[in-house]
Amino acid sequence: MEENYIAFASYLSGSIVFAALTLTLIYLYKIKLAPPALIAASFFSLVWQLAIALNYQGYTLAREHLVLLETLRYGVWISAILSCLQFTAGQLPPNVRYTIHSIWLISLSSIIGLIALNHPWMLDSDLLIWNNLILSIVGLICVEQLYRNSRQQRLMKLISVSIGALFAYDIYLFSYSLIFNQIDLGLWQSRGAINGLSALTLTVGSIIFINQGPQRTALSVSRPVVFYTTSMSAAGCFLALIAIGGYYVQLYGGRWGSVVQIAVLFSALLSIVTLFVSSTIRSRINVWINKHFFRHKYDYRSEWLRLIGSLTQPTQNENFHQRAITVVASIFKSEGGCLWLANNGYYRPVQTYNLQLPTTSIAEHQDTDFCKTMKNEEWVFSPHSTDKEAIGEINRQLPDWIYDIPQLWLVLPLLTERNLLGFIILTQPPHDATLTWEDLDLLKTVGRQVASYLDRHEAAEQLAESKQFDAFNKLTAFIMHDLKNLIAQQALVVENAAKHKENPAFVEDAIKTIDNSVSRMSNLLRKLQQQESLEVRNLELHKVLMEAAKKCKELKPTPSLRFETKELKVTADQDHLIMSLGNLIKNAQEATNSNGFVDVTLRQEAKNAIITIEDNGSGMDETFIRERLFKPFDTTKSGKGMGIGVYQTRELIASLGGSVDVDSTLNEGTTFTISIPISA
């Protein structure tokens, strides 16, 4: 009877605490600090504790109903923990959430089915033990996910620790019960009080944190302490598990039990000795602990922003090669460095920073093992590393000249995708020169970003050079276009000289043609020498059209001119405007049969002069007009033109504030409509 009162008091006190926790969680829900599922889980735990407490006061709780209550309790707590993830920085993948929920739902469905069938398994304590053990493990996994994603949210961390304690105690209780094939009465009776203590911790902690924002935990433990503590704890847990296994073997293994127990314990001791003797295993454990249990050595957000800010500042007259070295050196507290870049099959130094290079040849061929390792493995070489055994072999790939560099620390590859753009050599920092996994990770990331920066700048320089050559080529093409027209005029004079040389009118016309050519060539030379700017002045537009048509009179059909007004004036350079309009007239003549027509019309619309050049020639389709007509250096006159006449005309008219429109139909003809603002 005394034991019943103890169990009753344990579970009753737990239910009272859960009642207080439920009220606290309701308030947290109102201020949007807790999900409603957490309230449901706390309330169901209150019901569960009361049901078990009443069982010890004469209200019998059937075994099947107990198993059902236990399963429902685990289910609501698992759902509550998963719902808490919405208040953290992370979410589980959908397939993981569905798997976790399906485990307890399948368990619940199975229990309900067994109850409905009145199956004898419901009376077996093994069913309760296995069911609770599996569900408590699933619950602890959910708690671990909540804790990992809580970051600075102290309330979520408190929930993780408090609820995790419930699941951890259940794992201990039912693991112990599984070993001895029966539920320990003392552990079962204490379960109510343990649940109550966890609920009390969560209640008091929640009340304290209600009016506090997210705060960072100030407690910190040194890395060596955590490393050795973790190692010893892992060893202790391993020994405990092996001891339990050995006890189980001894209990059920007959006369061979003691032999197997000794063999298993000896294997465990041998494994632990190997763990502490092997430096490789210890170093790997050390890296794993540093990665998962400590704040990082670098503030990656700050380092990344500082790197991007430094690389993207306006360069002005600064050498961007030196900027790349100084940025990398400043991050890793190095006092100097040198940049090697690819050049004609070799990597050659292009910039140094606080570093005196040796006088020996320091160019490195791209096909050496040293360069291939950096390219294929993104290997950061550390020539003077203290870990001789681990990286001594790969350091043999380093060229001899690299050891002549004073205060050499490391060699950082600069990779763009899978291409090795070059590498940076850094000198040793004044204080801590050891390299950790964090240094290597950050070095590789910075190396790729700097490589992208250098690659972009080199591409920009190449593009600038290409634009300069493009401008030069365009200028040459325009000059050749003008020279071609002048040569055509002189060629006509030469062709007709033998036939009409005795004709005084021909001689006079030839002299005028030569004089015009000389004048135009002189103007061209002056403009090329920048001795004279464009001769922009008011021009009578009908005279410009007459001069342009006159230059095309040798071709057929002869252009016809029709002026609705002769009062229109525009502000432009006369030679350029005559040449541009002449190009359009000439193109119309070349596209039209000799018995066709080319009509040039001048009229006024509002404040614009409208020039139309219409022909009934071969015409053009929409695709040609859209994609090729105004494209420079694209011509359909094989060997007869350079494809810049129409482009040049459009550019000139656009510079005057006007526009050029084209309306054309294949085999019917083309109409160019030119609009130019009238000068005041």
Side-chain angles (χ1 to χ4, degrees):
M1 293 297 293
E2 181 180 355
E3 291 181 350
N4 288 347
Y5 282 119
I6 294 175
F8 172 74
S10 173
Y11 281 95
L12 181 62
S13 61
S15 64
I16 295 173
V17 177
F18 270 105
L21 176 61
T22 303
L23 295 176
T24 305
L25 291 175
I26 290 174
Y27 179 76
L28 289 175
Y29 169 70
K30 288 183 178 180
I31 60 175
K32 298 182 179 180
L33 289 179
L38 208 56
I39 302 173
S42 176
F43 180 75
F44 193 85
S45 293
L46 164 64
V47 175
W48 167 75
Q49 294 253 59
L50 279 176
I52 297 178
L54 293 175
N55 179 64
Y56 288 100
Q57 290 297 312
Y59 299 93
T60 303
L61 181 63
R63 176 65 64 87
E64 57 268 23
H65 295 155
L66 175 62
V67 177
L68 181 61
L69 279 176
E70 293 281 349
T71 306
L72 285 171
R73 170 180 171 269
Y74 284 115
V76 293
W77 273 118
I78 290 172
S79 301
I81 294 298
L82 293 181
S83 66
C84 286
L85 283 172
Q86 65 182 305
F87 292 88
T88 66
Q91 288 289 338
L92 291 179
N95 57 335
V96 176
R97 291 202 310 272
Y98 297 151
T99 301
I100 291 175
H101 281 301
S102 64
I103 291 174
W104 74 266
L105 287 173
I106 291 173
S107 175
L108 179 63
S109 303
S110 302
I111 297 300
I112 294 174
L114 291 174
I115 292 175
L117 295 174
N118 198 21
H119 200 281
W121 282 1
M122 296 303 302
L123 302 177
D124 192 349
S125 61
D126 285 346
L127 177 63
L128 175 65
I129 294 172
W130 278 106
N131 180 68
N132 288 14
L133 181 61
I134 292 172
L135 293 181
S136 59
I137 292 173
V138 173
L140 199 59
I141 292 173
C142 297
V143 168
E144 187 262 346
Q145 291 298 318
L146 177 61
Y147 184 85
R148 286 181 58 187
N149 289 284
S150 295
R151 296 187 181 179
Q152 298 180 10
Q153 291 150 318
R154 298 177 66 184
L155 180 59
M156 290 297 112
K157 285 187 176 182
L158 177 65
I159 293 173
S160 303
V161 172
S162 301
I163 307 307
L166 303 183
F167 291 128
Y169 183 83
D170 282 2
I171 291 174
Y172 169 70
L173 166 61
F174 294 109
S175 298
Y176 187 91
S177 302
L178 185 63
I179 292 174
F180 293 98
N181 203 28
Q182 63 179 359
I183 297 177
D184 184 88
L185 184 60
L187 293 177
W188 177 264
Q189 292 174 347
S190 303
R191 191 181 180 205
I194 295 297
N195 276 255
L197 287 174
S198 296
L200 180 62
T201 303
L202 181 55
T203 303
V204 174
S206 299
I207 294 172
I208 294 174
F209 296 147
I210 278 177
N211 296 321
Q212 296 182 2
Q215 298 181 22
R216 183 172 298 177
T217 305
L219 181 62
S220 177
V221 183
S222 68
R223 298 186 184 211
V225 169
V226 170
F227 171 66
Y228 290 111
T229 303
T230 303
S231 301
M232 294 301 296
S233 300
C237 292
F238 186 56
L239 282 175
L241 289 174
I242 295 301
I244 293 172
Y247 178 79
Y248 189 81
V249 169
Q250 187 182 34
L251 190 63
Y252 295 101
R255 60 182 179 178
W256 287 98
S258 59
V259 177
V260 175
Q261 181 184 25
I262 294 172
V264 171
L265 288 174
F266 177 77
S267 300
L269 289 172
L270 183 63
S271 300
I272 294 172
V273 171
T274 303
L275 171 66
F276 284 98
V277 170
S278 173
S279 60
T280 302
I281 296 178
R282 288 202 310 274
S283 63
R284 290 181 178 177
I285 293 176
N286 193 17
V287 170
W288 184 82
I289 291 173
N290 285 332
K291 281 188 174 182
H292 295 89
F293 290 92
F294 287 101
R295 293 191 179 277
H296 297 301
K297 177 179 178 180
Y298 298 96
D299 184 344
Y300 291 101
R301 176 181 173 275
S302 298
E303 296 293 348
W304 183 256
L305 291 176
R306 185 156 62 96
L307 172 65
I308 298 302
S310 300
L311 293 179
T312 55
Q313 287 179 358
T315 56
Q316 297 178 354
N317 297 325
E318 184 184 352
N319 187 336
F320 62 87
H321 287 156
Q322 182 169 345
R323 172 178 290 189
I325 302 174
T326 56
V327 167
V328 177
S330 65
I331 292 177
F332 299 99
K333 308 299 185 292
S334 175
E335 295 184 337
C338 184
L339 172 64
W340 270 254
L341 291 179
N343 183 8
N344 295 327
Y346 286 84
Y347 291 104
R348 306 178 190 275
V350 296
Q351 185 69 46
T352 61
Y353 167 66
N354 292 341
L355 177 64
Q356 185 67 37
L357 292 178
T359 56
T360 57
S361 175
I362 53 177
E364 188 70 16
H365 197 276
Q366 293 180 352
D367 292 332
T368 61
D369 292 337
F370 167 61
C371 295
K372 287 181 178 178
T373 300
M374 287 192 293
K375 177 181 178 181
N376 298 329
E377 301 182 26
E378 200 174 1
W379 188 268
V380 178
F381 282 92
S382 179
H384 301 297
S385 173
T386 56
D387 192 357
K388 301 292 183 182
E389 296 181 1
I391 62 176
E393 183 67 27
I394 201 166
N395 275 347
R396 292 191 180 95
Q397 300 176 6
L398 288 166
D400 295 335
W401 56 262
I402 209 165
Y403 291 98
D404 296 331
I405 298 176
Q407 297 297 314
L408 174 64
W409 183 36
L410 57 84
V411 183
L412 171 64
L414 303 178
L415 288 173
T416 57
E417 296 182 351
R418 295 306 300 173
N419 295 321
L420 183 63
L421 186 70
F423 54 89
I424 291 178
I425 286 181
L426 295 179
T427 59
Q428 288 188 359
H431 301 295
D432 185 12
T434 57
L435 284 175
T436 66
W437 65 270
E438 280 193 86
D439 296 308
L440 294 175
D441 285 351
L442 186 59
L443 277 165
K444 293 175 182 179
T445 303
V446 169
R448 285 189 172 272
Q449 186 62 30
V450 170
S452 176
Y453 163 79
L454 292 172
D455 194 36
R456 178 172 61 84
H457 269 279
E458 290 189 357
E461 285 191 341
Q462 293 174 0
L463 181 61
E465 291 180 0
S466 176
K467 286 183 177 180
Q468 290 176 341
F469 278 110
D470 185 51
F472 175 78
N473 292 334
K474 283 184 179 180
L475 178 61
T476 304
F478 292 145
I479 294 172
M480 292 179 65
H481 186 269
D482 288 348
L483 291 176
K484 180 176 70 69
N485 291 334
L486 294 173
I487 291 171
Q489 290 180 347
Q490 303 301 318
L492 285 174
V493 173
V494 173
E495 288 175 6
N496 294 303
K499 184 178 180 180
H500 301 287
K501 63 182 179 180
E502 304 297 336
N503 187 343
F506 171 77
V507 174
E508 183 180 357
D509 188 58
I511 293 173
K512 288 182 179 179
T513 301
I514 294 171
D515 180 64
N516 178 264
S517 298
V518 171
S519 177
R520 291 178 62 185
M521 291 180 69
S522 298
N523 289 335
L524 180 62
L525 286 174
R526 284 197 302 271
K527 291 169 183 176
L528 289 175
Q529 294 171 352
Q530 297 183 350
Q531 294 178 355
E532 182 178 302
S533 59
L534 294 178
E535 297 179 2
V536 178
R537 54 192 175 89
N538 280 343
L539 305 174
E540 295 183 49
L541 201 50
H542 73 284
K543 291 182 179 181
V544 172
L545 288 172
M546 290 173 64
E547 186 65 25
K550 183 179 179 181
K551 293 181 180 298
C552 302
K553 64 182 180 180
E554 289 83 5
L555 297 178
K556 299 297 181 181
T558 302
S560 63
L561 299 176
R562 184 160 54 90
F563 306 134
E564 294 183 3
T565 176
K566 294 184 179 181
E567 304 298 327
L568 301 179
K569 294 183 179 182
V570 296
T571 303
D573 178 84
Q574 182 173 350
D575 290 340
H576 280 77
L577 187 57
I578 291 173
M579 181 182 66
S580 297
L581 296 174
N583 286 336
L584 295 183
I585 295 172
K586 185 178 178 181
N587 288 344
Q589 290 174 305
E590 292 175 346
T592 307
N593 294 328
S594 57
N595 58 353
F597 67 84
V598 176
D599 293 337
V600 181
T601 305
L602 174 64
R603 69 180 189 274
Q604 180 178 356
E605 287 185 3
K607 295 183 179 182
N608 294 318
I610 306 298
I611 303 169
T612 58
I613 302 173
E614 182 180 3
D615 67 69
N616 63 341
S618 57
M620 300 171 286
D621 59 26
E622 288 293 330
T623 302
F624 181 86
I625 294 173
R626 183 175 62 253
E627 298 180 0
R628 298 183 58 189
L629 179 60
F630 294 103
K631 185 177 181 181
F633 310 111
D634 189 351
T635 179
T636 58
K637 306 173 186 176
S638 302
K640 295 183 179 180
M642 301 190 65
I644 62 173
V646 179
Y647 170 79
Q648 196 175 20
T649 300
R650 188 186 66 172
E651 293 299 303
L652 175 64
I653 300 302
S655 69
L656 300 178
S659 62
V660 178
D661 296 316
V662 185
D663 183 18
S664 183
T665 304
L666 275 175
N667 302 320
E668 292 186 12
T670 301
T671 300
F672 276 85
T673 303
I674 303 167
S675 174
I676 307 175
I678 301 171
S679 59

